Short mmCIF file of all heavy atoms in Angstrom, two decimals:
data_model
loop_
_atom_site.label_atom_id
_atom_site.label_comp_id
_atom_site.label_asym_id
_atom_site.label_seq_id
_atom_site.Cartn_x
_atom_site.Cartn_y
_atom_site.Cartn_z
N ASP A 273 115.56 143.88 148.16
CA ASP A 273 114.71 143.83 147.02
C ASP A 273 113.33 143.30 147.45
O ASP A 273 113.13 142.76 148.54
CB ASP A 273 115.23 142.93 145.92
CG ASP A 273 115.42 141.47 146.32
OD1 ASP A 273 114.37 140.79 146.46
OD2 ASP A 273 116.55 141.04 146.58
N ILE A 274 112.35 143.63 146.60
CA ILE A 274 110.98 143.16 146.80
C ILE A 274 110.59 142.41 145.55
O ILE A 274 110.60 143.00 144.40
CB ILE A 274 110.05 144.35 147.03
CG1 ILE A 274 110.46 145.11 148.29
CG2 ILE A 274 108.56 143.83 147.13
CD1 ILE A 274 109.71 146.42 148.46
N ASP A 275 110.30 141.15 145.64
CA ASP A 275 109.82 140.31 144.51
C ASP A 275 108.31 140.39 144.50
O ASP A 275 107.66 140.10 145.49
CB ASP A 275 110.31 138.90 144.63
CG ASP A 275 111.80 138.77 144.46
OD1 ASP A 275 112.42 139.67 143.80
OD2 ASP A 275 112.42 137.82 144.98
N LEU A 276 107.77 140.71 143.36
CA LEU A 276 106.32 140.88 143.16
C LEU A 276 105.85 139.77 142.21
O LEU A 276 106.44 139.55 141.18
CB LEU A 276 106.00 142.24 142.56
CG LEU A 276 106.52 143.44 143.41
CD1 LEU A 276 106.60 144.69 142.56
CD2 LEU A 276 105.66 143.61 144.61
N GLU A 277 104.78 139.13 142.56
CA GLU A 277 104.18 138.07 141.74
C GLU A 277 102.73 138.43 141.33
O GLU A 277 101.96 138.81 142.20
CB GLU A 277 104.14 136.75 142.52
CG GLU A 277 103.62 135.61 141.69
CD GLU A 277 103.61 134.26 142.43
OE1 GLU A 277 104.24 134.21 143.47
OE2 GLU A 277 102.96 133.35 141.98
N PHE A 278 102.48 138.37 140.03
CA PHE A 278 101.15 138.72 139.50
C PHE A 278 100.44 137.44 139.05
O PHE A 278 101.05 136.43 138.64
CB PHE A 278 101.33 139.63 138.29
CG PHE A 278 101.87 140.99 138.70
CD1 PHE A 278 103.26 141.23 138.73
CD2 PHE A 278 101.03 142.02 139.06
CE1 PHE A 278 103.77 142.44 139.09
CE2 PHE A 278 101.54 143.24 139.44
CZ PHE A 278 102.94 143.47 139.46
N ALA A 279 99.10 137.47 139.13
CA ALA A 279 98.28 136.32 138.78
C ALA A 279 98.41 136.03 137.30
O ALA A 279 98.26 134.85 136.88
CB ALA A 279 96.82 136.56 139.14
N CYS A 280 98.60 137.06 136.49
CA CYS A 280 98.83 136.85 135.06
C CYS A 280 99.85 137.90 134.56
O CYS A 280 100.16 138.83 135.25
CB CYS A 280 97.50 136.86 134.26
SG CYS A 280 96.50 138.28 134.59
N ALA A 281 100.25 137.74 133.32
CA ALA A 281 101.30 138.58 132.83
C ALA A 281 100.85 140.06 132.78
O ALA A 281 99.71 140.37 132.59
CB ALA A 281 101.66 138.18 131.36
N VAL A 282 101.87 140.94 133.07
CA VAL A 282 101.62 142.40 133.07
C VAL A 282 102.56 143.02 132.07
O VAL A 282 103.54 142.39 131.64
CB VAL A 282 101.83 143.00 134.46
CG1 VAL A 282 100.82 142.50 135.50
CG2 VAL A 282 103.22 142.73 134.97
N THR A 283 102.27 144.23 131.68
CA THR A 283 103.21 144.99 130.90
C THR A 283 103.94 146.01 131.74
O THR A 283 103.41 146.43 132.78
CB THR A 283 102.50 145.76 129.73
OG1 THR A 283 101.60 146.75 130.29
CG2 THR A 283 101.74 144.78 128.81
N VAL A 284 105.12 146.39 131.33
CA VAL A 284 105.83 147.43 132.01
C VAL A 284 105.03 148.73 132.03
O VAL A 284 104.92 149.40 133.06
CB VAL A 284 107.23 147.64 131.40
CG1 VAL A 284 107.97 148.73 132.10
CG2 VAL A 284 108.05 146.31 131.39
N ASP A 285 104.42 149.04 130.91
CA ASP A 285 103.63 150.23 130.81
C ASP A 285 102.47 150.27 131.83
O ASP A 285 102.24 151.29 132.48
CB ASP A 285 103.08 150.38 129.36
CG ASP A 285 102.26 151.62 129.16
OD1 ASP A 285 102.83 152.74 129.44
OD2 ASP A 285 101.06 151.54 128.76
N ALA A 286 101.74 149.15 131.98
CA ALA A 286 100.66 149.06 132.93
C ALA A 286 101.15 149.24 134.34
O ALA A 286 100.54 149.97 135.11
CB ALA A 286 99.88 147.70 132.77
N VAL A 287 102.25 148.67 134.70
CA VAL A 287 102.80 148.82 136.02
C VAL A 287 103.27 150.23 136.28
O VAL A 287 102.96 150.83 137.37
CB VAL A 287 104.00 147.81 136.27
CG1 VAL A 287 104.75 148.08 137.57
CG2 VAL A 287 103.48 146.41 136.25
N VAL A 288 103.98 150.85 135.31
CA VAL A 288 104.39 152.25 135.46
C VAL A 288 103.19 153.18 135.61
O VAL A 288 103.17 154.06 136.51
CB VAL A 288 105.31 152.65 134.28
CG1 VAL A 288 105.54 154.18 134.31
CG2 VAL A 288 106.65 151.93 134.35
N ARG A 289 102.14 152.95 134.87
CA ARG A 289 100.93 153.77 134.93
C ARG A 289 100.26 153.61 136.30
O ARG A 289 99.80 154.57 136.90
CB ARG A 289 99.96 153.46 133.81
CG ARG A 289 100.30 154.27 132.51
CD ARG A 289 99.24 154.16 131.46
NE ARG A 289 99.35 152.89 130.76
CZ ARG A 289 98.40 151.98 130.70
NH1 ARG A 289 97.23 152.16 131.26
NH2 ARG A 289 98.61 150.85 130.04
N ALA A 290 100.21 152.38 136.79
CA ALA A 290 99.57 152.10 138.11
C ALA A 290 100.40 152.85 139.22
O ALA A 290 99.83 153.44 140.09
CB ALA A 290 99.51 150.60 138.37
N LEU A 291 101.70 152.78 139.12
CA LEU A 291 102.55 153.36 140.15
C LEU A 291 102.55 154.88 140.06
O LEU A 291 102.79 155.55 141.04
CB LEU A 291 103.94 152.81 140.04
CG LEU A 291 104.11 151.35 140.40
CD1 LEU A 291 105.53 150.89 140.11
CD2 LEU A 291 103.76 151.07 141.84
#
Side-chain angles (χ1 to χ4, degrees):
D273 64 73
I274 300 170
D275 292 334
L276 304 160
E277 181 179 347
F278 294 89
C280 49
V282 295
T283 64
V284 178
D285 183 56
V287 170
V288 168
R289 277 190 281 120
L291 293 174

